[in-house]
Structures are given as structure tokens and as C-alpha cells.
Amino acid sequence: MRGKLRVYLGAAPGVGKTYKMLEEAHRRIERGADVVVAFVECHGRVNTEALLEGLPAVPTNTRSYRDGQYREMDLDAVLERHPQVALVDELPHTNIPGGRHEKRWQDVQELLDAGIEVITTVNVQHLESLNDVVQRITGVPQRETVPDDVVRSADQIELVDMSPETLRRRLAHGNVYAAEKIDAALGNYFRVGNLTALREIALLWVADRVDEVLQRYREDHQIGRVWEARERVVVALPGDESGDMLIRRAARIAQRSMKGAGSSPAGGPGAELLAVHIARSDGLSGTTSPTALAAQRHLVESLGGTYHTIVGDNVARSLLEFAHAKNATQLVLGTSRRSRVNRFLTGRGIGETTIQLSGDIDVHMVTHRDPGAAQRLSAWLPPNPLREAAWGDGRWRGHLAALIVPPILAAILTQVRGHLNLTSDALIYLVAIVAIARLGGLLSALIAAVWGSLLLNYYFIPPIYSVTIYDANNVIALIAFIVVALTVASVVDLAIKQSRRAAHASAEAETLGAFAVSVLRGDSAIAALLERFRETFGMASVALLQRTAGQGDPLLPAEYDEPGRWTVVASTGAEPAACPGQADTVVDAGPDAMIALRGRTLPAADQRVLAAFAAQATAALERRRLVRAAADAASIAAADKMRTALLAAVSHDLRTPLAAAKAAVGTLRDPDLDVPADDRAELLEAADQSLDRLARLVENLLDMSRLQAGALKLTLEPLAADEIVPRAVDDVPEAAGRVTVSPPDILVPPVLADGALLERAIANLVGNAVKHTDSPVTVTVSALGTQVEIRVIDRGPGIPAADRDQVFLPFQRLGDRDNTAGVGLGLALARGLVEAMDGTLTPEDTPGGGLTMVLALPAAAEEVLA
């Protein structure tokens, strides 16, 4: 059985994560658990070291690295000891080369797989997803990170919290760092603003993780009620200009909810704002404006919220289903502008239905300006047929009216029989029948026409109160009445159907427009399309499948149910289909591709949208294939260009040292020559220098190829730049007597770099300066802000500003006049090595003439925290 993982999470170093972990170890031991210390770093803190005493520990490994000795966890020893619980400090730590894994969190995963429970610590700035956020706040890049999934998968996460003032006080008292580091820490990383921001980030991250656990618990236990653990405000967008006002009102409600929970980080995670537009599948939302929705999407995102579009046949129910799925606590929507007559004809509006069905969700009805006559006219449109199929046929009102209205009219008209003639009575009935046709369709109109004709005959055509008609003219009039009534009703019914078709086409256009927007806005067209379609139609999962076996051949029926014959190109949602046979709905997306949807079978009305969606997915898939092909072609072209330049550039540089070395060795080996001792020594020195030159050239070529291929491995660590520079200068034989290393005037912080690569880059810069100038060369080291600068200064002719970018190209020499100055890799390699370490290499004019190469690398300010 896999072991459990417990993580102590802190906002900053010094809050007491390791101390809490050791306290937990003592509690476990008191309860009889087998606990060992696999690796704990006390950082010289007396209280932590005191708590470490008495705990059983597994001896650590000592590894040599760059003239230093470093302690590392002995993974094999811990596995052999196999305790119940292992304490492993500093989860994001990068292991010294020589172990089984690159990162300590990978060691922890192996311990968990072995069934060992692990207790560990991590700071929020080391979480991968927050790395850039923390860097923008503190100005300090974090080199050691741990994937969020590793920490999120922990069985228990405990936040070790401390106010910024308390932490700074602990730091000032020497409880965190040594005395010589306190001032620098207080003035840089441990500023009140930095600590407050980091604390809020930690609280929000933990709150999100707790929310995930809560949501999973509610789903597992099928809990449909809203649990107000966190305020979530959902605003319904009608698709017109009033949406802007609704969004701002919802944002103010969310802001007030956050203030009510406490505006400080300790007060809670604040409220979440979600905007949703319900695109009805029949499109009966005539005032929907794609332009307005696009602007509102931008507005929501600028306010820190999220925008969603879903398709629902019943707006109120779809809105509430979305709110319940998001565990929303408040719902904001606009009030209806319909008249009482409209309400009678079309039933309860969206707002009334939402309020009635909202349950424990608070509903805010917001008044807004009248969106215009178009919206008022749209209220007279007939009920949604798909909604009626789900909630009961809305035409029952028409059928009921067809039975009730004619007798009511008869009762009223009999009271005024002496004032109206038969023509007026028939016209009044005709108007009523048209209204009933509008309400219930042609069948209701037929019922009303027959029923009305009988009542006209019985009450108003002589002889009254009898179904017998004596006058032939009255018979013709009654038949004409029925024919006219049914004709007008059929025209009304046809107009309703046509309006439905037009509205459905409008809804399709709106949905496809949303798909297109998602593609344009998304980083990945295919992923954006799949997620948009899944969310819009409420599918459980959507997957784009591509056939891997027998491409181009006709698809056999047996292949539908064989996952091994399909590759999931992209998917979204839970448990996507691995083959077409596992899907509820399948649509072709090309000769060897299919889109598989799970969750429900889409109705025929949505097939056109689905086909258009498949066409867009096919185009996106083809576009991705073409982009990859173009990238491959560009890579091949670049490789060919590099190969051509390499052959042209090294034709002399490889031949010259080889020829010199061969000539020297050949002379020494010639038995017919008696070479004096002095000449022998000179020939050996010449051969040695030629082979050294050849070795440097080959090494430069190999490093450049690694940089081009992205295969250069870095080991970044804090280094003293003023100690690296002299070693780099010594590596350049031509620099003897010509290069001066100027010591820094003030203490320079350590630089975060790979020692071997930094030394190599400096050596290349110094060698280039010595090779191309006859003047003295000076190398200085200084600190500027959060960077350390190494300057290589010469007094030579300099480089024109227009040519400065060219000298950094591989196999280039200024002017490309000859090959005597080398293969042209020195500056290109130096810049590549520096940029690989997140640094910069820029040329500047030397005051008074000459060139200064400025190598800037980030200072290891985070190592003050170690």
C-alpha cells in the first residue's frame, strides 16, 4: 500500500515548518510510531537543533561537488530501514549529482511507493505554478521548484502561518539567520509588503486545495445542496448591453462578500465571480449581441472573474444547474420588462422561475434600463419547443384557451346582443381564434374555430338556442368563418415555425462564433475548441481521436471498439473515450480522425453545429500538422545552414593545428634526423600548443551543438564571481601579462550560475579581447541591483554599433575576412552559455575608445534564505 504524504506549507522561510515537523515526530514517537529523520536541515537555528535531538536518524550521504562536501539523504538506507514515518525536509531541493534522482521530491515519491509515510516541508514560492508570480513580487527568481500536483496529491497539507511583523521580529532576534545576513534579509526579501503578499498567496493556494477536496467530497456523497464554505457569485448575462451593469453589480456584491469575510489574508479567500451566458438551442434570444458578449467577457476577466457559455433549452434550469455545479452561493440576474399580458401568455419568466427553484442560493434581481422595443417584441415569441418537451407542453395553455375563451365570449356577447350584429360577433370570435393560434398553434385554433362556430350558431344565428340553421346565407357565413379562422391560424402557425428556424440558425451562428473566439483567444486551437464544445453542450468529455494503424485505409467496424488503434490527440473532461466505440456521439473529423463525445447523445437539431465544430477541429488538426512540418523543415534548414557554415569555417582552423602537430611529431620521429635537445623541446611545445588549440576548438563545437539542441545540462548554485574570474583568466594562455583582474571595492553577493559554464564564458570573452586587440584588458566584478556584472574591458578599435549583433552569430568573424582569428565561436558560445543561465551578454563602448563586454547574471539573493 502506498504511503501517505503530509506537507507543512509556509509562506516564507523561518515561519516554523521544520519545527512543526519535528514536533509532530515527537508526538508520533510518544504514540509508539516508528519515526526516523531521513533528512532535516536546521540552518543553524538553535531551537530547531534542540528539537532534533533524541530523534532516531538515518545517516546521510556526503557527496563531493566542485571542491565542496554536501549532505544528501541516503535514499537506499531509508528504504532498507523502512520506517513507518520518514522526515524529509525541503521537498523542492535539487540533489547533488550522484544520486538516483535529480530532485528530492522524486526521492519522496519512491519512499511513498515503498509504503513509507513521509512528512515534509515546502515554501509557497517553490510551487511551480507560483514561480513567476513570486518573482514579480520579490524580484528573486526561484531555481528550485516542485510540481503543484506533487503537493496537491498530499493526504494532508498544514499551513504554518505567521504574521509579517512576527516573522520580521524573529529574524531581527537572530532566530532565522546569522547576524551578518539579518540586515540584507530585512531590506530585501523580508520586506513587509513581500511577506504580506506571500502570506496571501499561501492562504489562497491552501483555500483552493481545500475547495477541491470539498467539491470532491460533495460529488462522492451526491450532495446537491450549496455549502457556503466560500462565496461564489454567478451573474447571468442576457446578451445585450445590460450585461455590463449586471457584471459590475455582481463584482460589487463579490467585493462586499470578501470584505465581510475579512479583507486581510487571514480573513478568507474572498469571493469568486463567474459570468455565464445561456445560449438556448432554439436561439430564441433575438437581442443577443456577439459584440456585447465579447466586451463583457473582457470586462469579467479584467475584474478577476471567469466567463462561461453553455447551451440550455430552459434558461432558468440551466442557470441553476450551472450555479449548483459551481457551488455558488449568490446569483445575480436582471429583472424582466415584460407586461402582465406577456406574462399571462408565456407564463413565468426566467427570474420568477429561478427564484422559485433556487433553493438555498440567494438570488439578486437587479433592475436595469429598458433594452428597447426589440426585447419587448421578443417576449411575444412562442415558447421554446425543446423546453416544453422537458417541462410539459406549453401549448396546453392554447388548448385550454380554445375550450374556455369561446364560452366566455358567448356569455359576454349575449349580454349585448341587442347592440351588436352577427358580423361583429363573428369578427370578435375571429380575433380570439387568431390569439389562440398564437398561443397554442394550429390544433388549438382548430378546436377554437369548431367550438366557436357551434356557439355562434347556438346563441347568435336564428333560431337561437338551436343548432338548426334556416337561412342559407347564415350557413355560408358560418363556413366562411371557419375557413377564414383556420387560414389565418395556419398563417400564424407558419410564421411561428419560420421564426423558430431563423432563431435556431441565429443560435447556431452564436455558438459557432463562440467557438471561433475560443480558438483565436486560446494558446492551443484544438484544446480550446474541445473545452468550449464540452462546456457549451454540457458533455462529460470530448476527445479528438486519430487512427494510428492502417491510416488511409477504409475504417473497419471492428476498429471502433479497439482503443489500441486510436491515439487521443487532445481531450477535455473526465474519462474521455479512447476509441469511437466508447462514445455516446461520434462525428468524422477527417479521413483518419473522429470526435468522440461522452455524457449524452446530442439531438439531431445540434448535428449541424457539431458538423461545423468537427470541420473547425479538422482544420485545427491540419494546421497543427502543417506547423509541425514547417518547424521540422525550418530545423532541417537551420541544421543545413549550420553544417555549411561549419564546414566553411573549420576548413582552415582544423587543418592548421593538425598540420602543425603532425609536422612536429613527424620531425621528432624521423630516424634520419638528429634533433638537438632545444629544438626537440620547441617542437614538443609546438605540437602541444597545436593540440590544445584543436581541443579547444572541438570543445567549442560540441558546446555550441549542445546549445543549439537544447541538451546543455546546468547545475546552478551560488558562486563567488571574484573567485571564478581569476581561474577563467588562467585558462587563456595568451592572457598572461596582458589581463588585469580588478578586485571589487565592496562585497559582491554570490552569483547563481553553473561554475564550469561561467568560467568557460569568461575565458572566451577574455580570449576574444586578447586575440583582437593589442591593448591591456581589464576584468571587473560589481553588483548592480539584483544582478552581478562581470566586465571585460579593452582599449582596442571597438565594434561599430551596426555590427554588434553579427559578432554573436556562430562561425562569424567581424567582416569574415580570414580564418586566422579562429572559427568564430567564442562570442556566440559565450552568449549562449550566459543566456542558458538566465543572464545577458551585451557589448558597450569603453569610455575613451574600445569595447566592454558586460556579462550580467542574477545574484543569488535567495541563498540569503538558505
Side-chain angles (χ1 to χ4, degrees):
M1 186 175 65
R2 182 177 170 84
K4 293 184 178 180
L5 177 63
R6 179 170 184 168
V7 177
Y8 285 97
L9 178 70
V15 296
K17 303 179 300 299
T18 305
Y19 196 88
K20 287 285 188 181
M21 180 178 66
L22 295 177
E23 284 185 334
E24 177 64 19
H26 281 284
R27 283 193 293 270
R28 297 285 186 96
I29 291 176
E30 290 175 359
R31 294 197 296 265
D34 180 17
V35 181
V36 300
V37 176
F39 186 90
V40 169
E41 184 63 65
C42 295
H43 298 295
R45 296 164 190 166
V46 178
N47 295 333
T48 306
E49 291 176 347
L51 201 59
L52 185 60
E53 294 180 0
L55 293 177
V58 175
T60 57
N61 270 335
T62 301
R63 298 176 190 168
S64 300
Y65 185 70
R66 300 192 184 280
D67 302 327
Q69 300 291 321
Y70 303 91
R71 288 192 316 119
E72 289 288 355
M73 180 177 68
D74 191 339
L75 178 60
D76 292 327
V78 178
L79 290 171
E80 183 179 357
R81 171 68 170 74
H82 205 282
Q84 287 181 308
V85 182
L87 308 183
V88 183
D89 207 2
E90 298 181 351
L91 185 63
H93 170 75
T94 301
N95 293 328
I96 298 296
R100 189 152 56 245
H101 302 295
E102 180 184 359
K103 293 285 190 176
R104 184 167 292 164
W105 64 263
Q106 294 171 319
D107 295 338
V108 168
Q109 292 296 316
E110 188 168 344
L111 294 177
L112 295 173
D113 291 338
I116 300 174
E117 182 177 351
V118 176
I119 304 178
T120 187
T121 64
V122 64
N123 281 328
V124 71
Q125 66 263 29
H126 294 295
L127 294 172
E128 185 68 43
S129 65
L130 301 176
N131 185 266
D132 57 337
V133 177
V134 173
Q135 182 174 350
R136 286 196 297 269
I137 293 172
T138 65
V140 179
Q142 303 294 330
R143 307 296 173 184
E144 295 185 332
T145 60
V146 58
D148 287 47
D149 290 342
V150 174
V151 182
R152 285 186 182 275
S153 64
D155 298 275
Q156 185 175 351
I157 300 177
E158 183 171 334
L159 179 65
V160 183
D161 187 34
M162 183 177 291
S163 68
E165 293 76 13
T166 303
L167 182 55
R168 284 172 58 86
R169 193 159 51 246
R170 290 193 67 222
L171 182 64
H173 292 164
N175 295 329
V176 180
Y177 298 135
E180 63 272 13
K181 297 181 179 180
I182 293 176
D183 291 338
L186 287 172
N188 291 282
Y189 194 89
F190 284 81
R191 295 193 298 268
V192 173
N194 288 357
L195 295 178
T196 302
L198 291 174
R199 188 186 186 201
E200 182 173 10
I201 290 173
L203 288 165
L204 289 173
W205 193 91
V206 173
D208 286 339
R209 200 267 181 177
V210 172
D211 192 63
E212 291 175 5
V213 175
L214 177 61
Q215 189 67 19
R216 190 161 54 246
Y217 177 86
R218 295 177 71 245
E219 291 175 357
D220 293 342
H221 291 77
Q222 298 181 346
I223 299 174
R225 301 188 312 276
V226 174
W227 286 6
E228 299 181 12
R230 181 175 183 177
E231 288 291 338
R232 286 185 178 83
V233 181
V234 173
V235 54
L237 303 181
D240 56 27
E241 294 80 1
S242 64
D244 293 359
M245 185 269 293
L246 295 175
I247 291 171
R248 293 188 176 93
R249 178 63 62 86
R252 290 195 294 271
I253 293 173
Q255 186 67 22
R256 287 196 297 269
S257 300
M258 184 174 65
K259 290 180 179 179
S263 58
S264 66
E272 188 176 344
L273 176 63
L274 303 95
V276 59
H277 172 64
I278 311 296
R280 287 163 53 167
S281 63
D282 64 349
L284 297 182
S285 51
T287 60
T288 297
S289 168
T291 303
L293 287 175
Q296 289 160 16
R297 177 174 189 159
H298 178 74
L299 175 61
V300 170
E301 293 174 350
S302 68
L303 294 172
T306 56
Y307 178 90
H308 307 266
T309 300
I310 60 176
V311 170
D313 295 327
N314 182 278
V315 176
R317 168 160 286 195
S318 299
L319 181 61
L320 289 171
E321 287 177 352
F322 175 83
H324 281 288
K326 298 296 183 180
N327 198 27
T329 57
Q330 303 188 61
L331 187 58
V332 178
L333 64 161
T335 57
S336 173
R337 296 288 183 178
R338 298 181 306 156
S339 66
R340 293 183 179 179
V341 175
N342 288 347
R343 294 176 186 176
F344 169 77
L345 293 176
T346 60
R348 286 197 307 264
I350 296 172
E352 297 176 26
T353 305
T354 302
I355 292 174
Q356 184 178 12
L357 303 177
S358 62
D360 45 9
I361 299 179
D362 296 335
V363 180
H364 301 264
M365 299 297 298
V366 180
T367 58
H368 53 87
R369 64 182 182 86
D370 191 348
Q375 192 171 36
R376 288 193 296 270
L377 289 174
S378 67
W380 287 83
L381 288 172
N384 184 336
L386 296 180
R387 177 189 65 188
E388 294 162 359
W391 286 78
D393 191 354
R395 294 175 181 246
W396 63 268
R397 297 187 184 90
H399 301 336
L400 182 62
L403 297 175
I404 295 178
V405 171
I408 294 176
L409 285 178
I412 296 174
L413 293 176
T414 54
Q415 302 300 319
V416 292
R417 181 179 295 161
H419 303 282
L420 296 176
N421 57 22
L422 180 60
T423 303
S424 299
D425 295 335
L427 289 176
I428 292 174
Y429 267 97
L430 183 62
V431 171
I433 292 171
V434 171
I436 292 171
R438 156 64 189 84
L439 188 63
L442 185 60
L443 179 60
S444 297
L446 177 62
I447 297 173
V450 173
W451 184 219
S453 64
L454 293 176
L455 292 174
L456 277 174
N457 177 33
Y458 189 80
Y459 285 101
F460 303 102
I461 296 178
I464 61 174
Y465 307 121
S466 172
V467 295
T468 303
I469 302 177
Y470 293 153
D471 192 344
N473 290 328
N474 291 337
V475 173
I476 296 173
L478 190 59
I479 295 174
F481 166 78
I482 297 175
V483 171
V484 170
L486 293 179
T487 302
V488 173
S490 64
V491 171
V492 171
D493 190 62
L494 180 61
I496 291 173
K497 292 178 180 178
Q498 290 178 341
S499 69
R500 290 180 189 276
R501 295 191 188 99
H504 192 91
S506 174
E508 289 181 353
E510 179 186 343
T511 303
L512 292 175
F515 288 160
V517 170
S518 68
V519 173
L520 293 175
R521 292 170 57 91
D523 297 330
S524 173
I526 296 178
L529 273 172
L530 296 181
E531 177 58 28
R532 173 62 63 184
F533 192 87
R534 187 194 67 80
E535 183 181 72
T536 300
F537 287 95
M539 305 302 294
S541 66
V542 182
L544 178 60
L545 307 177
Q546 191 167 32
R547 192 159 56 136
T548 55
Q551 288 194 359
D553 299 333
L555 188 63
L556 300 177
E559 294 185 76
Y560 278 86
D561 299 318
E562 297 182 15
R565 292 181 175 269
W566 299 87
T567 299
V568 180
V569 177
S571 65
T572 181
E575 300 181 359
C579 64
Q582 298 178 357
D584 296 312
T585 304
V586 177
V587 62
D588 289 334
D592 295 297
M594 287 192 172
I595 297 173
L597 303 97
R598 301 186 70 177
R600 63 186 177 94
T601 301
L602 288 180
D606 295 329
Q607 292 301 316
R608 284 193 298 175
V609 178
L610 183 57
F613 162 71
Q616 292 194 33
T618 303
L621 186 62
E622 179 65 15
R623 184 164 55 250
R624 188 170 77 168
R625 187 189 65 79
L626 293 175
V627 168
R628 289 181 176 177
D632 293 341
S635 176
I636 294 173
D640 289 341
K641 184 178 179 180
M642 178 74 70
R643 189 181 301 110
T644 302
L646 174 61
L647 293 175
V650 305
S651 60
H652 175 275
D653 294 270
L654 285 176
R655 186 167 58 247
T656 300
L658 280 174
K662 181 173 178 58
V665 174
T667 302
L668 293 173
R669 293 187 60 192
D670 192 340
D672 297 332
L673 295 177
D674 185 13
V675 182
D678 293 342
D679 293 341
R680 179 182 294 274
E682 185 176 347
L683 288 171
L684 288 173
E685 183 179 358
D688 184 62
Q689 290 178 354
S690 297
L691 292 175
D692 285 344
R693 179 182 174 187
L694 182 62
R696 288 197 299 271
L697 174 61
V698 173
E699 192 173 359
N700 281 343
L701 290 172
L702 290 175
D703 283 344
M704 180 55 68
S705 66
R706 293 190 188 100
L707 282 173
Q708 295 285 348
L712 190 66
K713 292 185 178 181
L714 301 178
T715 304
L716 301 178
E717 57 183 347
L719 301 168
D722 52 352
E723 296 179 2
I724 296 290
V725 171
R727 295 204 301 267
V729 173
D730 291 341
D731 290 339
V732 184
E734 300 88 348
R738 292 189 53 195
V739 178
T740 302
V741 179
S742 178
D745 297 330
I746 59 174
L747 181 64
V748 177
V751 64
L752 194 64
D754 185 299
L757 298 185
L758 178 58
E759 187 175 328
R760 185 74 177 286
I762 297 173
N764 282 357
L765 293 176
V766 173
N768 188 76
V770 171
K771 188 181 301 180
H772 292 281
T773 66
D774 297 328
S775 66
V777 177
T778 304
V779 184
T780 65
V781 180
S782 60
L784 179 63
T786 60
Q787 291 187 321
V788 175
E789 292 186 346
I790 301 172
R791 294 174 173 263
V792 180
I793 307 168
D794 68 56
R795 299 288 179 177
I799 300 177
D803 296 331
R804 288 180 180 173
D805 288 335
Q806 184 179 357
V807 298
F808 290 104
L809 298 177
F811 312 115
Q812 294 289 326
R813 292 163 297 280
L814 187 58
D816 278 340
R817 298 183 183 88
D818 55 57
N819 289 320
T820 60
V823 75
L825 280 178
L827 292 180
L829 180 60
R831 172 172 275 189
L833 295 176
V834 172
E835 290 179 349
M837 296 182 287
D838 290 336
T840 59
L841 179 59
T842 54
E844 294 180 357
D845 291 325
T846 301
L851 183 70
T852 299
M853 286 291 182
V854 182
L855 190 160
L857 286 169
E862 71 270 22
E863 293 303 320
V864 176
L865 313 177

